[in-house]
Amino acid sequence: ACAHPRCYFVGVLMLLSLCAAALCAVAGVLISSHAVAHSAAALALLWGLLLSGFLVPLDELATSEWRLLRGLRDALPVRYAYEALLVNEFEGVDALQITTSIGDNPTVHSQPITGDEMLRCLGSDPDAKGRDLAVLAVWLGASLVVVGLLLRFYVREAR
């Protein structure tokens, strides 16, 4: 096993790719039209990307009026992969400075912040690395079981 952050990064991306493939397989088994199955899977992955924290911070959807979107976000694997990658990126950072320079104005530096503080600003849990990997692995396993059960009991061979 590789403990280097780059290995972790590649591992999370591979696990997310397998989860996306499993989601596409579920859609492909459930929907008889190939075009509709591809569209449904792509739409689910797009919603996962939009709600995973890329556009809206993870804690922003914590209010009750966003309950449905929060449920959709938590049901899809992209949220967990994004948080795992964020934690991997900011883990161990002790003195992060945000700098701004607009036009000819002098560059302004913020006070140094830690990686954990930056993660909290983004709505992520600094201790979520292991949990997120476990959720991705369970999600992948459950999806593959669902595909197997659907193929066994739902799809009938036509000769």
Side-chain angles (χ1 to χ4, degrees), residues 11 18 25-26 35 84 89 97 99 106-107 119-120 152 159:
L18 290 171
V26 169
E89 187 67 28
Q97 280 191 317
T99 60
T107 301
L119 286 168
R120 285 188 190 91
R152 174 78 172 110
R159 291 183 186 227

Side-chain angles (χ1 to χ4, degrees), residues 13-27:
L13 290 183
M14 289 177 62
L15 196 52
L16 177 62
S17 296
L18 290 171
C19 287
L23 177 68
C24 292
V26 169

Side-chain angles (χ1 to χ4, degrees), residues 145-158:
V145 167
V146 167
V147 168
L149 291 173
L150 286 172
L151 286 172
R152 174 78 172 110
F153 298 109
Y154 183 70
V155 176
R156 296 287 175 223
E157 183 179 358

Side-chain angles (χ1 to χ4, degrees), residues 30-131:
L30 286 176
I31 303 169
S32 60
S33 168
H34 295 295
V36 175
H38 285 285
S39 298
L43 188 60
L45 291 172
L46 177 64
W47 273 105
L49 285 170
L50 292 175
L51 298 173
S52 66
F54 289 123
L55 297 178
V56 179
L58 290 173
D59 60 352
E60 190 93 3
L61 295 177
T63 58
S64 61
E65 62 263 11
W66 296 104
R67 186 174 295 136
L68 178 65
L69 292 179
R70 190 175 64 240
L72 181 61
R73 176 202 67 194
D74 291 343
L76 294 171
V78 181
R79 172 237 198 270
Y80 303 101
Y82 178 68
E83 187 172 47
L85 293 175
L86 274 179
V87 172
N88 185 53
E89 187 67 28
F90 289 111
E91 187 176 56
V93 174
D94 293 326
L96 177 68
Q97 280 191 317
I98 300 173
T99 60
T100 58
S101 179
I102 300 174
D104 294 332
N105 297 324
T107 301
V108 178
H109 301 278
S110 72
Q111 294 295 321
I113 60 174
T114 66
D116 287 355
E117 291 170 332
M118 186 65 187
L119 286 168
R120 285 188 190 91
C121 287
L122 295 171
S124 294
D125 180 8
D127 301 321
K129 197 173 178 180
R131 180 200 68 206

